[in-house]
Amino acid sequence: MFEKLFRGRKAEEGGRILAVQNGKVVPLEEVPDPVFSQKVLGEGAAIYPEDGKIYSPVTGIIDSVMDTGHALAIMAKDGAQILIHVGLNTVELQGEGFVTHVTAGQKVYAGDLLLEVDLELLKSKGLSAITPVLLLNKDSFQEVIPFIGVAKAGETVMVQYR
């Protein structure tokens, strides 16, 4: 299936999730929400963003986009299931401040623009902009290694897995 979808353009190699935003990457344990910090949904890392643009961390297919625009899931070409959750409690905004650039079923390449969020709006509403990026099917892989430090969207490897 993927070979037909990605013919003519080089897909990312499996085993890595690129940074979805420019900013500081921290361990999930530092996310001030137990669903993420206790890794209930999956393993990964989170990023404190410098700007409101969110890019695809892998080549794959958009599995789902929340109606509110605050989260989306991607099925990577190598089978990794990735969740990007922009901010904490941002579902409460009911889509205010979010612009989605993709739809479910759409193929994307690493570095494609997925979403935009108004970080000033989040701040004015008292909401955290920290963005957890999770490998939902972590049990399908032997090892998941998050990167910690300053990241550049589409370039820095945020999480490696094998």
Side-chain angles (χ1 to χ4, degrees):
M1 172 183 165
F2 279 108
E3 294 311 314
K4 289 180 185 175
L5 290 172
F6 297 103
R7 189 176 303 139
R9 188 162 175 189
K10 186 180 178 207
E12 286 296 307
E13 292 181 5
R16 60 191 192 141
I17 298 171
L18 299 177
V20 298
Q21 294 169 291
N22 296 317
K24 180 181 176 189
V25 179
V26 297
L28 284 179
E29 291 85 358
E30 292 185 23
V31 177
D33 182 314
V35 171
F36 298 111
S37 65
Q38 294 175 16
K39 304 177 184 177
V40 173
L41 298 175
E43 179 65 76
I47 190 163
Y48 284 102
E50 293 175 356
D51 59 60
K53 293 186 178 191
I54 296 95
Y55 299 94
S56 182
V58 295
T59 293
I61 302 292
I62 300 296
D63 188 47
S64 62
V65 180
M66 297 297 292
D67 291 340
T68 56
H70 78 285
L72 60 79
I74 302 172
M75 173 67 77
K77 184 178 177 184
D78 65 1
Q81 298 169 352
I82 299 161
L83 173 69
I84 302 169
H85 192 283
V86 182
L88 300 180
N89 300 315
T90 49
V91 67
E92 296 170 3
L93 296 174
Q94 294 296 306
E96 181 185 3
F98 288 90
V99 176
T100 58
H101 296 282
V102 293
T103 58
Q106 182 177 336
K107 63 182 175 180
V108 293
Y109 299 92
D112 286 354
L113 182 63
L114 303 175
L115 306 167
E116 291 182 78
V117 61
D118 181 344
L119 296 181
E120 289 302 315
L121 176 69
L122 297 187
K123 186 177 178 180
S124 74
K125 302 275 187 178
L127 299 173
S128 173
I130 191 168
T131 301
V133 178
L134 307 174
L135 182 60
L136 298 174
N137 59 337
K138 68 177 183 172
D139 294 339
S140 298
F141 304 96
Q142 296 174 348
E143 187 174 27
V144 179
I145 306 163
F147 163 81
I148 307 305
V150 177
K152 181 167 171 100
E155 291 182 18
T156 306
V157 176
M158 191 170 171
V159 178
Q160 289 185 312
Y161 54 91
R162 60 179 185 91

Short mmCIF file of all heavy atoms in Angstrom, two decimals, residues 5-29:
data_model
loop_
_atom_site.label_atom_id
_atom_site.label_comp_id
_atom_site.label_asym_id
_atom_site.label_seq_id
_atom_site.Cartn_x
_atom_site.Cartn_y
_atom_site.Cartn_z
N LEU A 5 1.57 4.77 -2.63
CA LEU A 5 1.30 6.12 -2.14
C LEU A 5 2.53 7.01 -2.18
O LEU A 5 2.42 8.21 -2.39
CB LEU A 5 0.78 6.06 -0.70
CG LEU A 5 -0.62 5.50 -0.53
CD1 LEU A 5 -0.93 5.32 0.94
CD2 LEU A 5 -1.64 6.40 -1.17
N PHE A 6 3.70 6.44 -1.97
CA PHE A 6 4.90 7.25 -1.85
C PHE A 6 5.83 7.16 -3.05
O PHE A 6 6.95 7.62 -3.01
CB PHE A 6 5.65 6.88 -0.56
CG PHE A 6 4.84 7.17 0.65
CD1 PHE A 6 4.20 6.17 1.34
CD2 PHE A 6 4.68 8.47 1.09
CE1 PHE A 6 3.43 6.45 2.44
CE2 PHE A 6 3.90 8.76 2.20
CZ PHE A 6 3.28 7.74 2.88
N ARG A 7 5.37 6.56 -4.15
CA ARG A 7 6.17 6.46 -5.36
C ARG A 7 6.54 7.85 -5.85
O ARG A 7 5.73 8.77 -5.83
CB ARG A 7 5.39 5.72 -6.44
CG ARG A 7 6.24 5.38 -7.64
CD ARG A 7 5.49 4.57 -8.67
NE ARG A 7 4.97 3.36 -8.07
CZ ARG A 7 3.77 2.89 -8.31
NH1 ARG A 7 2.95 3.51 -9.12
NH2 ARG A 7 3.36 1.79 -7.73
N GLY A 8 7.78 8.02 -6.25
CA GLY A 8 8.21 9.28 -6.83
C GLY A 8 8.77 10.27 -5.83
O GLY A 8 9.29 11.31 -6.20
N ARG A 9 8.68 9.98 -4.56
CA ARG A 9 9.24 10.87 -3.55
C ARG A 9 9.85 10.02 -2.46
O ARG A 9 9.23 9.08 -1.97
CB ARG A 9 8.13 11.76 -2.97
CG ARG A 9 8.69 12.83 -2.08
CD ARG A 9 7.68 13.93 -1.87
NE ARG A 9 8.23 14.88 -0.90
CZ ARG A 9 7.57 15.86 -0.38
NH1 ARG A 9 6.33 16.07 -0.71
NH2 ARG A 9 8.14 16.66 0.49
N LYS A 10 11.07 10.32 -2.08
CA LYS A 10 11.77 9.51 -1.09
C LYS A 10 11.11 9.65 0.28
O LYS A 10 10.94 10.74 0.80
CB LYS A 10 13.23 9.94 -0.98
CG LYS A 10 14.04 9.06 -0.07
CD LYS A 10 15.47 9.50 0.02
CE LYS A 10 16.18 8.59 1.00
NZ LYS A 10 17.30 9.24 1.61
N ALA A 11 10.74 8.53 0.86
CA ALA A 11 10.14 8.53 2.19
C ALA A 11 11.24 8.48 3.25
O ALA A 11 12.35 8.02 2.99
CB ALA A 11 9.24 7.30 2.35
N GLU A 12 10.91 8.97 4.45
CA GLU A 12 11.85 8.91 5.56
C GLU A 12 12.11 7.46 5.93
O GLU A 12 11.23 6.62 5.82
CB GLU A 12 11.26 9.62 6.79
CG GLU A 12 11.27 11.10 6.69
CD GLU A 12 12.65 11.68 6.62
OE1 GLU A 12 13.48 11.39 7.49
OE2 GLU A 12 12.90 12.43 5.67
N GLU A 13 13.30 7.18 6.41
CA GLU A 13 13.60 5.84 6.91
C GLU A 13 12.88 5.67 8.24
O GLU A 13 12.68 6.62 8.97
CB GLU A 13 15.10 5.68 7.13
CG GLU A 13 15.88 5.67 5.84
CD GLU A 13 17.36 5.48 6.10
OE1 GLU A 13 17.76 5.26 7.25
OE2 GLU A 13 18.11 5.56 5.13
N GLY A 14 12.48 4.43 8.53
CA GLY A 14 11.81 4.17 9.79
C GLY A 14 12.78 4.31 10.95
O GLY A 14 13.99 4.38 10.76
N GLY A 15 12.21 4.32 12.14
CA GLY A 15 13.04 4.33 13.32
C GLY A 15 13.28 5.69 13.94
O GLY A 15 13.99 5.79 14.93
N ARG A 16 12.67 6.74 13.38
CA ARG A 16 12.89 8.06 13.97
C ARG A 16 11.69 8.96 13.76
O ARG A 16 11.02 8.91 12.75
CB ARG A 16 14.16 8.70 13.43
CG ARG A 16 14.13 8.91 11.95
CD ARG A 16 15.49 9.31 11.41
NE ARG A 16 15.31 9.77 10.04
CZ ARG A 16 15.93 10.78 9.50
NH1 ARG A 16 16.82 11.45 10.20
NH2 ARG A 16 15.70 11.13 8.27
N ILE A 17 11.46 9.76 14.78
CA ILE A 17 10.40 10.76 14.76
C ILE A 17 11.10 12.11 14.84
O ILE A 17 11.80 12.38 15.82
CB ILE A 17 9.45 10.57 15.95
CG1 ILE A 17 8.76 9.19 15.87
CG2 ILE A 17 8.43 11.70 16.01
CD1 ILE A 17 7.96 8.83 17.11
N LEU A 18 10.94 12.91 13.82
CA LEU A 18 11.57 14.23 13.81
C LEU A 18 10.79 15.21 14.67
O LEU A 18 9.60 15.03 14.93
CB LEU A 18 11.66 14.75 12.38
CG LEU A 18 12.49 13.91 11.41
CD1 LEU A 18 12.43 14.51 10.00
CD2 LEU A 18 13.93 13.78 11.87
N ALA A 19 11.47 16.25 15.12
CA ALA A 19 10.82 17.28 15.93
C ALA A 19 9.67 17.90 15.13
O ALA A 19 9.83 18.22 13.95
CB ALA A 19 11.82 18.35 16.34
N VAL A 20 8.53 18.06 15.78
CA VAL A 20 7.35 18.62 15.13
C VAL A 20 7.33 20.14 15.20
O VAL A 20 6.58 20.78 14.47
CB VAL A 20 6.05 18.05 15.73
CG1 VAL A 20 5.97 16.55 15.51
CG2 VAL A 20 5.90 18.40 17.20
N GLN A 21 8.16 20.71 16.08
CA GLN A 21 8.22 22.16 16.26
C GLN A 21 9.65 22.55 16.63
O GLN A 21 10.44 21.70 17.05
CB GLN A 21 7.30 22.61 17.40
CG GLN A 21 5.83 22.39 17.13
CD GLN A 21 5.00 22.60 18.37
OE1 GLN A 21 5.07 21.80 19.30
NE2 GLN A 21 4.21 23.66 18.38
N ASN A 22 9.95 23.82 16.49
CA ASN A 22 11.19 24.37 17.03
C ASN A 22 10.96 24.57 18.52
O ASN A 22 9.90 25.07 18.92
CB ASN A 22 11.52 25.72 16.39
CG ASN A 22 11.80 25.60 14.90
OD1 ASN A 22 12.49 24.69 14.46
ND2 ASN A 22 11.25 26.51 14.14
N GLY A 23 11.94 24.20 19.33
CA GLY A 23 11.78 24.42 20.75
C GLY A 23 12.62 23.49 21.59
O GLY A 23 13.53 22.84 21.10
N LYS A 24 12.28 23.42 22.87
CA LYS A 24 13.02 22.61 23.83
C LYS A 24 12.29 21.30 24.07
O LYS A 24 11.14 21.28 24.50
CB LYS A 24 13.17 23.37 25.14
CG LYS A 24 13.93 22.61 26.19
CD LYS A 24 14.02 23.38 27.49
CE LYS A 24 14.73 22.53 28.54
NZ LYS A 24 14.66 23.14 29.86
N VAL A 25 12.98 20.18 23.81
CA VAL A 25 12.42 18.86 24.00
C VAL A 25 12.73 18.39 25.42
O VAL A 25 13.87 18.51 25.89
CB VAL A 25 12.98 17.85 22.97
CG1 VAL A 25 12.40 16.46 23.20
CG2 VAL A 25 12.68 18.32 21.55
N VAL A 26 11.70 17.86 26.10
CA VAL A 26 11.84 17.36 27.46
C VAL A 26 11.26 15.96 27.55
O VAL A 26 10.45 15.55 26.71
CB VAL A 26 11.13 18.30 28.47
CG1 VAL A 26 11.76 19.69 28.47
CG2 VAL A 26 9.63 18.38 28.21
N PRO A 27 11.64 15.20 28.59
CA PRO A 27 11.06 13.87 28.78
C PRO A 27 9.57 13.97 29.09
O PRO A 27 9.10 14.97 29.66
CB PRO A 27 11.81 13.30 29.98
CG PRO A 27 12.92 14.22 30.28
CD PRO A 27 12.63 15.52 29.61
N LEU A 28 8.82 12.94 28.75
CA LEU A 28 7.38 12.93 29.04
C LEU A 28 7.11 13.08 30.53
O LEU A 28 6.08 13.65 30.92
CB LEU A 28 6.74 11.64 28.54
CG LEU A 28 6.50 11.53 27.05
CD1 LEU A 28 5.88 10.18 26.71
CD2 LEU A 28 5.62 12.66 26.54
N GLU A 29 8.01 12.59 31.36
CA GLU A 29 7.82 12.69 32.81
C GLU A 29 7.68 14.14 33.28
O GLU A 29 7.14 14.39 34.35
CB GLU A 29 8.99 12.02 33.55
CG GLU A 29 9.05 10.52 33.41
CD GLU A 29 9.77 10.04 32.15
OE1 GLU A 29 10.21 10.87 31.32
OE2 GLU A 29 9.89 8.82 31.98
#
